[in-house]
Amino acid sequence: MSEPDTAKTILVTGAGRGLGRALAAQLTARGDHVIAHARSEGTLDGVPCKSRLIADLATPETLADAVAAAGIDHLDALIHNAGIARVEPIATQTLDWWQQTLAVNLAAPAELTRLLLPALRAARGHVVFVNSGAGLNAGPLWASYAASKFGVRALADALRAEEQGAGVRVTSLYPSHFDTDMQRSVREQANSNYDPERATSVDSIAKAIVDVLNTPADMVINEMRIEPPNPLPIRPKS
């Protein structure tokens, strides 16, 4: 069976698990050509994709070689999904963790976007930043993660303004409390209860992103906030 002419080429970072894997599945199912990114080949076992981009976002200086080797000259969408988080007081967060968080969550998306801008411009493509509620409000224990996500918000806003003339659309997505390994890890670090029934599913978040990509060419959703109807607050267990 031949592939549809409407197939889009879409790069998803952090495609090995959680939201990234759900996105790869949904996009592939509708006939798109997914470029799945992960830090290692093994992480992408079972992930449906057309090709792979293997690169460590903790070392943004290595991304140029990885992108050059991938030979991407036309890119309809770039979805920045990968990220790391540690919930810990500023008093105990080490410099190494600050540097790693800012590298993975902010510097790497900035560098990857820069490297892929020619391909995005050629396609009049779409850049989607999966941000966080922490990118809008910073609470106790969230300093390094929130700082990185506030930076991603600034990156998205500047990119949107700079690339409007080239036809590149930019969307920031702010999901809150959705069911991923990261959310479970955050709850464990904060000694907080977790209830997946009170979290949005990864499939629902993935569908929202696919819907954003489906918006007509004469409009763009600049920002979208998503949360479950009855989220469980992150509070230490009593």
Side-chain angles (χ1 to χ4, degrees):
M1 182 176 179
S2 62
E3 294 170 334
D5 294 336
T6 56
K8 295 180 178 181
T9 299
I10 301 174
L11 194 159
V12 180
T13 69
R17 64 178 185 171
L19 177 58
R21 184 175 283 253
L23 277 166
Q26 290 191 23
L27 292 168
T28 298
R30 73 174 196 167
D32 290 326
H33 300 165
V34 173
I35 304 171
H37 158 268
R39 187 170 55 182
S40 65
E41 288 278 357
T43 305
L44 294 174
D45 288 348
V47 175
C49 59
K50 186 77 171 182
S51 60
R52 298 178 173 187
L53 177 68
I54 306 303
D56 188 352
L57 300 184
T59 54
E61 65 274 14
T62 67
L63 292 176
D65 288 343
V67 170
I72 304 168
D73 56 11
H74 183 99
L75 189 62
D76 294 287
L78 168 59
I79 303 175
H80 290 293
N81 163 69
I84 57 175
R86 177 173 291 179
V87 179
E88 191 173 329
I90 295 170
T92 58
Q93 287 221 13
T94 65
L95 176 59
D96 285 347
W97 184 253
W98 274 94
Q99 291 173 329
Q100 186 178 359
T101 301
L102 293 172
V104 172
N105 292 358
L106 178 56
E111 175 67 352
L112 192 57
T113 301
R114 181 187 73 84
L115 294 167
L116 291 169
L117 265 178
L120 287 160
R121 289 168 178 161
R124 298 180 70 85
H126 200 152
V127 182
V128 177
F129 292 92
V130 180
N131 202 301
S132 166
L136 298 169
N137 297 284
L141 309 180
W142 288 94
S144 61
Y145 182 71
S148 70
K149 290 300 187 177
F150 268 68
V152 169
R153 181 184 183 186
L155 170 62
D157 289 347
L159 181 68
R160 184 181 302 112
E162 292 172 4
E163 295 299 322
Q164 283 178 335
V168 175
R169 299 187 288 177
V170 179
T171 299
S172 288
L173 188 77
Y174 298 93
S176 173
H177 301 300
F178 66 104
D179 188 18
T180 64
D181 290 343
M182 177 184 286
Q183 182 67 209
R184 293 173 187 275
S185 174
V186 162
R187 299 279 175 159
E188 289 175 1
Q189 292 174 52
N191 190 33
S192 175
N193 290 317
Y194 181 68
D195 182 358
E197 296 299 320
R198 293 176 66 177
T200 306
S201 72
V202 291
D203 287 331
S204 292
I205 299 292
K207 183 182 182 301
I209 294 172
V210 172
D211 289 344
V212 165
L213 297 179
N214 285 340
T215 53
D218 62 352
M219 64 172 282
V220 60
I221 298 172
N222 291 339
E223 295 184 329
M224 178 185 289
R225 297 187 66 175
I226 300 173
E227 63 180 12
N230 183 28
L232 182 65
I234 299 178
R235 295 171 181 163
K237 298 174 185 177
S238 57

Short mmCIF file of all heavy atoms in Angstrom, two decimals, residues 12-22 24 36-47 81-82 181:
data_model
loop_
_atom_site.label_atom_id
_atom_site.label_comp_id
_atom_site.label_asym_id
_atom_site.label_seq_id
_atom_site.Cartn_x
_atom_site.Cartn_y
_atom_site.Cartn_z
N VAL A 12 10.26 13.87 16.75
CA VAL A 12 9.79 13.86 18.13
C VAL A 12 10.98 13.55 19.04
O VAL A 12 11.59 12.48 18.92
CB VAL A 12 8.69 12.79 18.36
CG1 VAL A 12 8.23 12.80 19.81
CG2 VAL A 12 7.51 13.02 17.41
N THR A 13 11.32 14.46 19.94
CA THR A 13 12.41 14.17 20.87
C THR A 13 11.85 13.39 22.06
O THR A 13 10.68 13.49 22.41
CB THR A 13 13.10 15.45 21.37
OG1 THR A 13 12.23 16.20 22.22
CG2 THR A 13 13.55 16.32 20.20
N GLY A 14 12.73 12.59 22.65
CA GLY A 14 12.30 11.76 23.79
C GLY A 14 11.23 10.77 23.40
O GLY A 14 10.24 10.57 24.12
N ALA A 15 11.42 10.12 22.23
CA ALA A 15 10.38 9.25 21.68
C ALA A 15 10.39 7.84 22.26
O ALA A 15 9.55 7.01 21.91
CB ALA A 15 10.51 9.17 20.16
N GLY A 16 11.32 7.56 23.17
CA GLY A 16 11.45 6.20 23.66
C GLY A 16 10.42 5.77 24.68
O GLY A 16 10.21 4.58 24.88
N ARG A 17 9.75 6.72 25.32
CA ARG A 17 8.79 6.35 26.36
C ARG A 17 7.75 7.45 26.53
O ARG A 17 7.88 8.55 25.98
CB ARG A 17 9.50 6.09 27.68
CG ARG A 17 10.19 7.30 28.26
CD ARG A 17 10.85 6.99 29.59
NE ARG A 17 11.41 8.18 30.22
CZ ARG A 17 11.87 8.22 31.46
NH1 ARG A 17 11.86 7.11 32.20
NH2 ARG A 17 12.36 9.33 31.97
N GLY A 18 6.73 7.14 27.31
CA GLY A 18 5.74 8.13 27.71
C GLY A 18 5.10 8.85 26.55
O GLY A 18 4.65 8.26 25.57
N LEU A 19 5.03 10.17 26.68
CA LEU A 19 4.38 11.00 25.68
C LEU A 19 5.05 10.87 24.32
O LEU A 19 4.36 10.82 23.30
CB LEU A 19 4.36 12.46 26.15
CG LEU A 19 3.77 13.47 25.17
CD1 LEU A 19 2.34 13.13 24.81
CD2 LEU A 19 3.88 14.89 25.75
N GLY A 20 6.36 10.83 24.28
CA GLY A 20 7.06 10.72 23.00
C GLY A 20 6.70 9.46 22.25
O GLY A 20 6.47 9.48 21.03
N ARG A 21 6.63 8.35 22.97
CA ARG A 21 6.26 7.08 22.33
C ARG A 21 4.81 7.13 21.85
O ARG A 21 4.49 6.64 20.76
CB ARG A 21 6.46 5.92 23.32
CG ARG A 21 6.20 4.54 22.73
CD ARG A 21 6.55 3.44 23.75
NE ARG A 21 7.97 3.24 23.86
CZ ARG A 21 8.63 2.19 23.38
NH1 ARG A 21 7.98 1.23 22.73
NH2 ARG A 21 9.93 2.07 23.54
N ALA A 22 3.92 7.72 22.65
CA ALA A 22 2.52 7.85 22.24
C ALA A 22 2.39 8.72 21.00
O ALA A 22 1.60 8.43 20.09
CB ALA A 22 1.69 8.42 23.39
N ALA A 24 4.73 9.16 18.66
CA ALA A 24 5.25 8.41 17.53
C ALA A 24 4.20 7.43 17.01
O ALA A 24 4.03 7.27 15.79
CB ALA A 24 6.52 7.67 17.93
N ALA A 36 12.28 9.54 15.11
CA ALA A 36 12.23 9.33 16.56
C ALA A 36 13.60 9.61 17.17
O ALA A 36 14.60 9.00 16.78
CB ALA A 36 11.80 7.90 16.87
N HIS A 37 13.63 10.52 18.12
CA HIS A 37 14.88 10.83 18.82
C HIS A 37 14.95 10.10 20.16
O HIS A 37 13.95 9.97 20.87
CB HIS A 37 15.02 12.32 19.09
CG HIS A 37 15.98 12.61 20.22
ND1 HIS A 37 15.56 12.74 21.54
CD2 HIS A 37 17.33 12.70 20.25
CE1 HIS A 37 16.60 12.94 22.31
NE2 HIS A 37 17.69 12.92 21.56
N ALA A 38 16.14 9.64 20.49
CA ALA A 38 16.43 9.10 21.82
C ALA A 38 17.93 9.17 22.05
O ALA A 38 18.71 9.43 21.12
CB ALA A 38 15.93 7.67 21.96
N ARG A 39 18.31 8.90 23.28
CA ARG A 39 19.73 8.95 23.63
C ARG A 39 20.46 7.70 23.15
O ARG A 39 21.67 7.72 22.91
CB ARG A 39 19.88 9.11 25.15
CG ARG A 39 21.31 9.33 25.62
CD ARG A 39 21.34 9.71 27.08
NE ARG A 39 20.65 8.74 27.94
CZ ARG A 39 20.50 8.87 29.24
NH1 ARG A 39 20.97 9.95 29.85
NH2 ARG A 39 19.87 7.96 29.94
N SER A 40 19.73 6.58 23.00
CA SER A 40 20.35 5.33 22.56
C SER A 40 19.40 4.57 21.66
O SER A 40 18.18 4.75 21.72
CB SER A 40 20.72 4.46 23.77
OG SER A 40 19.55 4.05 24.47
N GLU A 41 19.96 3.70 20.82
CA GLU A 41 19.15 2.90 19.90
C GLU A 41 18.17 2.00 20.65
O GLU A 41 17.01 1.87 20.28
CB GLU A 41 20.07 2.04 19.02
CG GLU A 41 20.84 2.81 17.97
CD GLU A 41 20.02 3.09 16.72
OE1 GLU A 41 18.86 2.63 16.66
OE2 GLU A 41 20.53 3.76 15.82
N GLY A 42 18.66 1.37 21.72
CA GLY A 42 17.82 0.43 22.45
C GLY A 42 16.57 1.05 23.03
O GLY A 42 15.55 0.38 23.17
N THR A 43 16.65 2.34 23.36
CA THR A 43 15.49 3.03 23.93
C THR A 43 14.33 3.06 22.96
O THR A 43 13.16 3.15 23.36
CB THR A 43 15.88 4.47 24.32
OG1 THR A 43 17.01 4.42 25.20
CG2 THR A 43 14.74 5.18 25.02
N LEU A 44 14.63 2.98 21.66
CA LEU A 44 13.60 3.09 20.63
C LEU A 44 13.06 1.74 20.17
O LEU A 44 12.29 1.68 19.20
CB LEU A 44 14.14 3.88 19.43
CG LEU A 44 14.46 5.35 19.71
CD1 LEU A 44 15.12 5.99 18.50
CD2 LEU A 44 13.20 6.12 20.10
N ASP A 45 13.43 0.67 20.84
CA ASP A 45 12.89 -0.65 20.48
C ASP A 45 11.36 -0.61 20.55
O ASP A 45 10.78 -0.23 21.57
CB ASP A 45 13.42 -1.73 21.43
CG ASP A 45 14.89 -2.05 21.19
OD1 ASP A 45 15.42 -1.61 20.16
OD2 ASP A 45 15.49 -2.74 22.04
N GLY A 46 10.74 -1.00 19.46
CA GLY A 46 9.29 -1.05 19.42
C GLY A 46 8.60 0.26 19.11
O GLY A 46 7.37 0.31 19.00
N VAL A 47 9.36 1.33 18.95
CA VAL A 47 8.77 2.63 18.63
C VAL A 47 8.56 2.73 17.12
O VAL A 47 9.51 2.59 16.35
CB VAL A 47 9.66 3.80 19.10
CG1 VAL A 47 9.07 5.14 18.65
CG2 VAL A 47 9.81 3.77 20.61
N ASN A 81 9.84 17.31 23.16
CA ASN A 81 9.14 16.60 24.23
C ASN A 81 10.08 16.17 25.36
O ASN A 81 9.67 16.10 26.51
CB ASN A 81 8.42 15.38 23.65
CG ASN A 81 8.04 14.37 24.70
OD1 ASN A 81 7.16 14.62 25.52
ND2 ASN A 81 8.71 13.22 24.69
N ALA A 82 11.33 15.87 25.05
CA ALA A 82 12.25 15.33 26.04
C ALA A 82 12.51 16.32 27.17
O ALA A 82 12.52 17.54 26.96
CB ALA A 82 13.57 14.95 25.37
N ASP A 181 6.20 8.49 33.50
CA ASP A 181 7.23 8.08 34.45
C ASP A 181 7.80 9.29 35.19
O ASP A 181 8.12 9.21 36.38
CB ASP A 181 8.35 7.33 33.73
CG ASP A 181 7.92 5.97 33.23
OD1 ASP A 181 6.88 5.46 33.68
OD2 ASP A 181 8.62 5.41 32.35
#
